[in-house]
Every structure is written in C-alpha cells, then in structure tokens.
Amino acid sequence: MVSESAKYYRTHPEARERKKRYDSKFEKSPSQMAKRRELARHNAAHDKKYGAASRKGKDASHTKSGIRYKPTSVNRGSKTDMAGDRRARGGR
C-alpha cells in the first residue's frame, strides 16, 4: 500500500525534485547531523551491552525520558512522545 504523498511525488516529478533538494539540505544541517551522531553513539553502546540482534525490528524513539527502543510500527505512529511530534500534528 502506497501513501498519498508517495502517489503525489510519483506523478509530479518537479515536486519530487524540489523535495529531494530540500531533504538533502535538511539532512546536512548541523542539528540533524548531531541527532544522527547521538543515535549512532546510543546504538553502539546498546549493541555492546545487549548485542545488535536485540534491536532488530525496532527504532530508537526520542522520548521525554531519553532514547528508547520501540517496534517500528509503534514509533512511526507515535503522537505523544515529544513536543515536536505534537506540533507537527497541529498540537494534538
């Protein structure tokens, strides 16, 4: 099943190109690079203690109480973990 946004970008190549340029710029930003470094450090420490297999099928979730591992499907639909999540959904 394909999301509505995926359908849109498949049928609008100029919008897909614009999004690609924006995403590249965003991922190069210092804040995103720092976030990835933080996750890499956290994942390395977790793997050293528990092994990489313990993270299989899970995402690192940034919650109020720090980074926690959640099943991917739960984390992607999370609406209440962080203020940014709530703001992105119109304050809900």
Side-chain angles (χ1 to χ4, degrees), residues 26-42 62 67:
F26 178 75
E27 290 300 334
K28 287 184 220 170
S29 70
S31 62
Q32 282 304 107
M33 289 168 59
K35 187 175 181 180
R36 286 197 302 275
R37 279 193 304 271
E38 177 190 15
L39 280 177
R41 280 194 297 269
H42 190 271
H62 290 82
I67 298 174

Side-chain angles (χ1 to χ4, degrees), residues 19-31:
K19 179 181 177 358
K20 187 172 116 181
R21 284 194 310 269
Y22 170 78
D23 286 346
S24 295
K25 181 180 175 185
F26 178 75
E27 290 300 334
K28 287 184 220 170
S29 70
S31 62

Side-chain angles (χ1 to χ4, degrees), residues 72-86:
T72 303
S73 59
V74 173
N75 188 37
R76 306 263 166 99
S78 178
K79 291 182 173 71
T80 59
D81 283 342
M82 298 290 284
D85 292 337
R86 290 190 298 274

